Amino acid sequence: MSDPDILKVNDEIARRFAMIEANLALCQSAVELFERLLTDLKESFGIPFVWLTLIRSPETKPLLKAIEASELLRDHLNRLSPEVFQEILPDPSKPLLVSGDLRPFFRMLPPARKFFIRSLAVSPLMLRGHLIGSLNHGDASPTRYEPGLDTTLIEHLSRRVSVRLDECLPGFFS
């Protein structure tokens, strides 16, 4: 692919991320935010596996309860203890890309689909500066989320989702 072609592809990817972010601004609740986010990511980028992992804690219990009430999100939610989550994502300041042997991440993968996923992007989600979980993208292709790929747009989206969560959930961690 030539440089102008790469620029076109990158511009198109950035445009899709911007559209997703614009749609998030319209959401009035955390449930609506996550439903829109997962749907838009699947549709805009053809990501076959998109789900949330939330840390089980007293602070996230109300959020987990609200998400579990959503039929769409219930099937796209994984819950982990803080200790297990930290083992999987020791540096929550940036997204993690993994491909190849995903066995160390099996506890994070959707139970019914874990054997189909060959590469994974894990983006931390924050609420009022507290790590509450991650937004996860998985693909059967081992090259989709190879370590070393640029994560700038995924990282930016993760930050925008975290800001919108702060706005949708004003009473948390205050």
Side-chain angles (χ1 to χ4, degrees):
M1 202 180 302
S2 67
D3 285 344
D5 291 336
I6 291 171
L7 290 175
K8 281 183 189 178
V9 169
N10 288 341
D11 285 345
E12 177 60 21
I13 291 170
R15 186 189 66 74
R16 290 180 193 175
F17 271 106
M19 285 180 57
I20 291 171
E21 286 182 35
N23 286 341
L24 296 181
L26 305 173
C27 299
Q28 300 298 311
S29 71
V31 169
E32 185 182 356
L33 177 81
F34 286 132
E35 287 177 342
R36 171 71 67 148
L37 177 63
L38 297 185
T39 301
D40 284 357
L41 282 168
K42 279 184 169 188
E43 291 175 2
S44 295
F45 293 104
I47 302 170
F49 307 106
V50 182
W51 72 99
L52 300 169
T53 298
L54 292 182
I55 296 171
R56 281 190 307 252
S57 70
E59 295 83 11
T60 61
K61 190 173 184 173
L63 179 58
L64 278 165
K65 186 176 179 179
I67 288 172
E68 288 166 348
S70 163
E71 189 175 330
L72 171 71
L73 295 178
R74 185 179 325 122
D75 294 335
H76 293 85
L77 175 65
N78 198 350
R79 300 152 210 81
L80 292 176
S81 70
E83 299 79 21
V84 170
F85 193 87
Q86 186 173 10
E87 281 177 37
I88 293 171
L89 188 67
D91 180 4
S93 67
K94 59 186 175 193
L96 174 68
L97 302 179
V98 185
S99 64
D101 182 12
L102 299 182
R103 281 180 289 180
F105 298 88
F106 271 13
R107 292 175 289 183
M108 180 175 273
L109 301 179
R113 297 177 176 96
K114 67 174 65 178
F115 299 106
F116 298 105
I117 298 173
R118 297 288 175 256
S119 65
L120 172 68
V122 180
S123 301
L125 293 175
M126 309 294 278
L127 181 58
R128 304 266 186 272
H130 298 268
L131 180 67
I132 61 163
S134 60
L135 170 63
N136 312 295
H137 313 203
D139 200 288
S141 168
T143 60
R144 182 147 193 186
Y145 300 112
E146 286 183 305
L149 292 175
D150 185 10
T151 61
T152 303
L153 293 173
I154 291 174
E155 189 172 346
H156 181 77
L157 179 63
S158 181
R159 283 195 308 269
R160 292 299 310 147
V161 170
S162 295
V163 167
R164 286 295 299 136
L165 271 176
D166 286 350
E167 295 166 355
C168 290
L169 299 167
F172 273 75
F173 297 110
S174 47

PDB file of all heavy atoms in Angstrom, residues 9-33:
ATOM      1  N   VAL A   9      -6.706   5.353   4.450  1.00  0.00           N
ATOM      2  CA  VAL A   9      -7.193   4.338   5.387  1.00  0.00           C
ATOM      3  C   VAL A   9      -7.187   4.903   6.805  1.00  0.00           C
ATOM      4  O   VAL A   9      -8.174   4.769   7.543  1.00  0.00           O
ATOM      5  CB  VAL A   9      -6.351   3.045   5.304  1.00  0.00           C
ATOM      6  CG1 VAL A   9      -6.667   2.097   6.446  1.00  0.00           C
ATOM      7  CG2 VAL A   9      -6.565   2.354   3.966  1.00  0.00           C
ATOM      8  N   ASN A  10      -6.096   5.544   7.199  1.00  0.00           N
ATOM      9  CA  ASN A  10      -6.012   6.124   8.547  1.00  0.00           C
ATOM     10  C   ASN A  10      -7.051   7.219   8.764  1.00  0.00           C
ATOM     11  O   ASN A  10      -7.639   7.318   9.843  1.00  0.00           O
ATOM     12  CB  ASN A  10      -4.609   6.657   8.816  1.00  0.00           C
ATOM     13  CG  ASN A  10      -3.601   5.549   9.014  1.00  0.00           C
ATOM     14  OD1 ASN A  10      -3.954   4.408   9.287  1.00  0.00           O
ATOM     15  ND2 ASN A  10      -2.332   5.884   8.865  1.00  0.00           N
ATOM     16  N   ASP A  11      -7.278   8.042   7.749  1.00  0.00           N
ATOM     17  CA  ASP A  11      -8.303   9.084   7.854  1.00  0.00           C
ATOM     18  C   ASP A  11      -9.690   8.465   8.022  1.00  0.00           C
ATOM     19  O   ASP A  11     -10.510   8.962   8.797  1.00  0.00           O
ATOM     20  CB  ASP A  11      -8.291   9.993   6.618  1.00  0.00           C
ATOM     21  CG  ASP A  11      -7.122  10.955   6.602  1.00  0.00           C
ATOM     22  OD1 ASP A  11      -6.467  11.125   7.669  1.00  0.00           O
ATOM     23  OD2 ASP A  11      -6.853  11.546   5.537  1.00  0.00           O
ATOM     24  N   GLU A  12      -9.956   7.394   7.297  1.00  0.00           N
ATOM     25  CA  GLU A  12     -11.254   6.721   7.407  1.00  0.00           C
ATOM     26  C   GLU A  12     -11.432   6.108   8.793  1.00  0.00           C
ATOM     27  O   GLU A  12     -12.509   6.199   9.397  1.00  0.00           O
ATOM     28  CB  GLU A  12     -11.397   5.647   6.330  1.00  0.00           C
ATOM     29  CG  GLU A  12     -12.680   4.847   6.406  1.00  0.00           C
ATOM     30  CD  GLU A  12     -13.951   5.674   6.281  1.00  0.00           C
ATOM     31  OE1 GLU A  12     -13.916   6.802   5.752  1.00  0.00           O
ATOM     32  OE2 GLU A  12     -15.009   5.176   6.727  1.00  0.00           O
ATOM     33  N   ILE A  13     -10.398   5.512   9.326  1.00  0.00           N
ATOM     34  CA  ILE A  13     -10.461   4.930  10.673  1.00  0.00           C
ATOM     35  C   ILE A  13     -10.721   6.042  11.695  1.00  0.00           C
ATOM     36  O   ILE A  13     -11.578   5.902  12.571  1.00  0.00           O
ATOM     37  CB  ILE A  13      -9.177   4.145  11.001  1.00  0.00           C
ATOM     38  CG1 ILE A  13      -9.112   2.878  10.139  1.00  0.00           C
ATOM     39  CG2 ILE A  13      -9.103   3.802  12.482  1.00  0.00           C
ATOM     40  CD1 ILE A  13      -7.777   2.151  10.189  1.00  0.00           C
ATOM     41  N   ALA A  14     -10.010   7.147  11.591  1.00  0.00           N
ATOM     42  CA  ALA A  14     -10.197   8.270  12.507  1.00  0.00           C
ATOM     43  C   ALA A  14     -11.614   8.831  12.391  1.00  0.00           C
ATOM     44  O   ALA A  14     -12.235   9.195  13.400  1.00  0.00           O
ATOM     45  CB  ALA A  14      -9.158   9.353  12.236  1.00  0.00           C
ATOM     46  N   ARG A  15     -12.144   8.889  11.183  1.00  0.00           N
ATOM     47  CA  ARG A  15     -13.513   9.384  10.974  1.00  0.00           C
ATOM     48  C   ARG A  15     -14.522   8.480  11.673  1.00  0.00           C
ATOM     49  O   ARG A  15     -15.456   8.948  12.322  1.00  0.00           O
ATOM     50  CB  ARG A  15     -13.817   9.471   9.469  1.00  0.00           C
ATOM     51  CG  ARG A  15     -15.175  10.106   9.152  1.00  0.00           C
ATOM     52  CD  ARG A  15     -15.547   9.970   7.684  1.00  0.00           C
ATOM     53  NE  ARG A  15     -15.773   8.594   7.281  1.00  0.00           N
ATOM     54  CZ  ARG A  15     -16.870   7.872   7.604  1.00  0.00           C
ATOM     55  NH1 ARG A  15     -17.803   8.390   8.349  1.00  0.00           N
ATOM     56  NH2 ARG A  15     -16.995   6.636   7.174  1.00  0.00           N
ATOM     57  N   ARG A  16     -14.335   7.181  11.572  1.00  0.00           N
ATOM     58  CA  ARG A  16     -15.247   6.235  12.231  1.00  0.00           C
ATOM     59  C   ARG A  16     -15.194   6.382  13.746  1.00  0.00           C
ATOM     60  O   ARG A  16     -16.222   6.361  14.416  1.00  0.00           O
ATOM     61  CB  ARG A  16     -14.902   4.800  11.836  1.00  0.00           C
ATOM     62  CG  ARG A  16     -15.241   4.482  10.401  1.00  0.00           C
ATOM     63  CD  ARG A  16     -14.874   3.054  10.096  1.00  0.00           C
ATOM     64  NE  ARG A  16     -14.908   2.797   8.666  1.00  0.00           N
ATOM     65  CZ  ARG A  16     -14.527   1.661   8.136  1.00  0.00           C
ATOM     66  NH1 ARG A  16     -14.077   0.674   8.884  1.00  0.00           N
ATOM     67  NH2 ARG A  16     -14.579   1.494   6.830  1.00  0.00           N
ATOM     68  N   PHE A  17     -13.995   6.515  14.291  1.00  0.00           N
ATOM     69  CA  PHE A  17     -13.871   6.731  15.732  1.00  0.00           C
ATOM     70  C   PHE A  17     -14.574   8.028  16.139  1.00  0.00           C
ATOM     71  O   PHE A  17     -15.247   8.078  17.171  1.00  0.00           O
ATOM     72  CB  PHE A  17     -12.404   6.767  16.164  1.00  0.00           C
ATOM     73  CG  PHE A  17     -11.841   5.423  16.520  1.00  0.00           C
ATOM     74  CD1 PHE A  17     -10.954   4.785  15.663  1.00  0.00           C
ATOM     75  CD2 PHE A  17     -12.171   4.791  17.711  1.00  0.00           C
ATOM     76  CE1 PHE A  17     -10.418   3.539  15.987  1.00  0.00           C
ATOM     77  CE2 PHE A  17     -11.638   3.558  18.048  1.00  0.00           C
ATOM     78  CZ  PHE A  17     -10.763   2.925  17.179  1.00  0.00           C
ATOM     79  N   ALA A  18     -14.424   9.087  15.354  1.00  0.00           N
ATOM     80  CA  ALA A  18     -15.070  10.367  15.657  1.00  0.00           C
ATOM     81  C   ALA A  18     -16.590  10.232  15.637  1.00  0.00           C
ATOM     82  O   ALA A  18     -17.285  10.826  16.480  1.00  0.00           O
ATOM     83  CB  ALA A  18     -14.601  11.434  14.672  1.00  0.00           C
ATOM     84  N   MET A  19     -17.121   9.453  14.715  1.00  0.00           N
ATOM     85  CA  MET A  19     -18.576   9.242  14.662  1.00  0.00           C
ATOM     86  C   MET A  19     -19.058   8.491  15.907  1.00  0.00           C
ATOM     87  O   MET A  19     -20.111   8.812  16.470  1.00  0.00           O
ATOM     88  CB  MET A  19     -18.964   8.483  13.395  1.00  0.00           C
ATOM     89  CG  MET A  19     -18.907   9.332  12.135  1.00  0.00           C
ATOM     90  SD  MET A  19     -19.375   8.424  10.639  1.00  0.00           S
ATOM     91  CE  MET A  19     -21.010   7.867  11.059  1.00  0.00           C
ATOM     92  N   ILE A  20     -18.296   7.503  16.321  1.00  0.00           N
ATOM     93  CA  ILE A  20     -18.667   6.757  17.529  1.00  0.00           C
ATOM     94  C   ILE A  20     -18.672   7.704  18.731  1.00  0.00           C
ATOM     95  O   ILE A  20     -19.609   7.702  19.533  1.00  0.00           O
ATOM     96  CB  ILE A  20     -17.717   5.563  17.746  1.00  0.00           C
ATOM     97  CG1 ILE A  20     -17.959   4.504  16.663  1.00  0.00           C
ATOM     98  CG2 ILE A  20     -17.888   4.968  19.142  1.00  0.00           C
ATOM     99  CD1 ILE A  20     -16.935   3.387  16.637  1.00  0.00           C
ATOM    100  N   GLU A  21     -17.637   8.520  18.847  1.00  0.00           N
ATOM    101  CA  GLU A  21     -17.568   9.480  19.949  1.00  0.00           C
ATOM    102  C   GLU A  21     -18.746  10.450  19.915  1.00  0.00           C
ATOM    103  O   GLU A  21     -19.312  10.775  20.967  1.00  0.00           O
ATOM    104  CB  GLU A  21     -16.264  10.262  19.894  1.00  0.00           C
ATOM    105  CG  GLU A  21     -15.067   9.463  20.333  1.00  0.00           C
ATOM    106  CD  GLU A  21     -13.794  10.286  20.307  1.00  0.00           C
ATOM    107  OE1 GLU A  21     -13.850  11.498  20.607  1.00  0.00           O
ATOM    108  OE2 GLU A  21     -12.750   9.716  19.982  1.00  0.00           O
ATOM    109  N   ALA A  22     -19.118  10.924  18.732  1.00  0.00           N
ATOM    110  CA  ALA A  22     -20.254  11.840  18.617  1.00  0.00           C
ATOM    111  C   ALA A  22     -21.542  11.158  19.077  1.00  0.00           C
ATOM    112  O   ALA A  22     -22.378  11.787  19.748  1.00  0.00           O
ATOM    113  CB  ALA A  22     -20.382  12.323  17.171  1.00  0.00           C
ATOM    114  N   ASN A  23     -21.715   9.896  18.736  1.00  0.00           N
ATOM    115  CA  ASN A  23     -22.904   9.163  19.173  1.00  0.00           C
ATOM    116  C   ASN A  23     -22.934   8.998  20.690  1.00  0.00           C
ATOM    117  O   ASN A  23     -24.002   9.019  21.304  1.00  0.00           O
ATOM    118  CB  ASN A  23     -22.974   7.785  18.508  1.00  0.00           C
ATOM    119  CG  ASN A  23     -23.361   7.870  17.049  1.00  0.00           C
ATOM    120  OD1 ASN A  23     -23.915   8.860  16.584  1.00  0.00           O
ATOM    121  ND2 ASN A  23     -23.054   6.822  16.315  1.00  0.00           N
ATOM    122  N   LEU A  24     -21.775   8.827  21.303  1.00  0.00           N
ATOM    123  CA  LEU A  24     -21.716   8.658  22.762  1.00  0.00           C
ATOM    124  C   LEU A  24     -22.200   9.917  23.484  1.00  0.00           C
ATOM    125  O   LEU A  24     -22.770   9.825  24.572  1.00  0.00           O
ATOM    126  CB  LEU A  24     -20.298   8.312  23.208  1.00  0.00           C
ATOM    127  CG  LEU A  24     -19.736   6.986  22.709  1.00  0.00           C
ATOM    128  CD1 LEU A  24     -18.330   6.780  23.250  1.00  0.00           C
ATOM    129  CD2 LEU A  24     -20.633   5.823  23.060  1.00  0.00           C
ATOM    130  N   ALA A  25     -21.978  11.065  22.883  1.00  0.00           N
ATOM    131  CA  ALA A  25     -22.389  12.331  23.501  1.00  0.00           C
ATOM    132  C   ALA A  25     -23.908  12.425  23.633  1.00  0.00           C
ATOM    133  O   ALA A  25     -24.414  13.193  24.448  1.00  0.00           O
ATOM    134  CB  ALA A  25     -21.848  13.507  22.692  1.00  0.00           C
ATOM    135  N   LEU A  26     -24.633  11.631  22.851  1.00  0.00           N
ATOM    136  CA  LEU A  26     -26.090  11.661  22.886  1.00  0.00           C
ATOM    137  C   LEU A  26     -26.682  10.772  23.971  1.00  0.00           C
ATOM    138  O   LEU A  26     -27.874  10.872  24.271  1.00  0.00           O
ATOM    139  CB  LEU A  26     -26.648  11.223  21.520  1.00  0.00           C
ATOM    140  CG  LEU A  26     -26.150  11.998  20.301  1.00  0.00           C
ATOM    141  CD1 LEU A  26     -26.643  11.350  19.021  1.00  0.00           C
ATOM    142  CD2 LEU A  26     -26.585  13.449  20.385  1.00  0.00           C
ATOM    143  N   CYS A  27     -25.892   9.922  24.570  1.00  0.00           N
ATOM    144  CA  CYS A  27     -26.381   8.940  25.544  1.00  0.00           C
ATOM    145  C   CYS A  27     -26.647   9.599  26.891  1.00  0.00           C
ATOM    146  O   CYS A  27     -25.873  10.438  27.348  1.00  0.00           O
ATOM    147  CB  CYS A  27     -25.374   7.809  25.695  1.00  0.00           C
ATOM    148  SG  CYS A  27     -25.106   6.911  24.152  1.00  0.00           S
ATOM    149  N   GLN A  28     -27.749   9.176  27.514  1.00  0.00           N
ATOM    150  CA  GLN A  28     -28.168   9.762  28.779  1.00  0.00           C
ATOM    151  C   GLN A  28     -27.860   8.896  30.000  1.00  0.00           C
ATOM    152  O   GLN A  28     -27.962   9.362  31.118  1.00  0.00           O
ATOM    153  CB  GLN A  28     -29.679  10.051  28.736  1.00  0.00           C
ATOM    154  CG  GLN A  28     -30.065  11.011  27.638  1.00  0.00           C
ATOM    155  CD  GLN A  28     -29.419  12.370  27.814  1.00  0.00           C
ATOM    156  OE1 GLN A  28     -29.460  12.948  28.899  1.00  0.00           O
ATOM    157  NE2 GLN A  28     -28.795  12.886  26.773  1.00  0.00           N
ATOM    158  N   SER A  29     -27.515   7.629  29.779  1.00  0.00           N
ATOM    159  CA  SER A  29     -27.235   6.730  30.901  1.00  0.00           C
ATOM    160  C   SER A  29     -26.044   5.848  30.561  1.00  0.00           C
ATOM    161  O   SER A  29     -25.669   5.711  29.398  1.00  0.00           O
ATOM    162  CB  SER A  29     -28.454   5.854  31.201  1.00  0.00           C
ATOM    163  OG  SER A  29     -28.636   4.896  30.168  1.00  0.00           O
ATOM    164  N   ALA A  30     -25.484   5.225  31.587  1.00  0.00           N
ATOM    165  CA  ALA A  30     -24.353   4.327  31.370  1.00  0.00           C
ATOM    166  C   ALA A  30     -24.769   3.132  30.517  1.00  0.00           C
ATOM    167  O   ALA A  30     -24.013   2.694  29.648  1.00  0.00           O
ATOM    168  CB  ALA A  30     -23.789   3.857  32.704  1.00  0.00           C
ATOM    169  N   VAL A  31     -25.965   2.614  30.739  1.00  0.00           N
ATOM    170  CA  VAL A  31     -26.448   1.478  29.953  1.00  0.00           C
ATOM    171  C   VAL A  31     -26.573   1.869  28.486  1.00  0.00           C
ATOM    172  O   VAL A  31     -26.096   1.167  27.594  1.00  0.00           O
ATOM    173  CB  VAL A  31     -27.786   0.943  30.510  1.00  0.00           C
ATOM    174  CG1 VAL A  31     -28.416  -0.054  29.550  1.00  0.00           C
ATOM    175  CG2 VAL A  31     -27.571   0.312  31.875  1.00  0.00           C
ATOM    176  N   GLU A  32     -27.200   3.006  28.232  1.00  0.00           N
ATOM    177  CA  GLU A  32     -27.336   3.486  26.851  1.00  0.00           C
ATOM    178  C   GLU A  32     -25.961   3.723  26.228  1.00  0.00           C
ATOM    179  O   GLU A  32     -25.721   3.391  25.059  1.00  0.00           O
ATOM    180  CB  GLU A  32     -28.160   4.774  26.835  1.00  0.00           C
ATOM    181  CG  GLU A  32     -28.466   5.281  25.449  1.00  0.00           C
ATOM    182  CD  GLU A  32     -29.243   6.588  25.464  1.00  0.00           C
ATOM    183  OE1 GLU A  32     -29.625   7.091  26.543  1.00  0.00           O
ATOM    184  OE2 GLU A  32     -29.462   7.125  24.359  1.00  0.00           O
ATOM    185  N   LEU A  33     -25.043   4.269  26.999  1.00  0.00           N
ATOM    186  CA  LEU A  33     -23.679   4.528  26.531  1.00  0.00           C
ATOM    187  C   LEU A  33     -23.004   3.231  26.085  1.00  0.00           C
ATOM    188  O   LEU A  33     -22.466   3.145  24.979  1.00  0.00           O
ATOM    189  CB  LEU A  33     -22.873   5.195  27.648  1.00  0.00           C
ATOM    190  CG  LEU A  33     -21.404   5.465  27.370  1.00  0.00           C
ATOM    191  CD1 LEU A  33     -21.243   6.730  26.549  1.00  0.00           C
ATOM    192  CD2 LEU A  33     -20.646   5.598  28.678  1.00  0.00           C
TER     193      LEU A  33
END
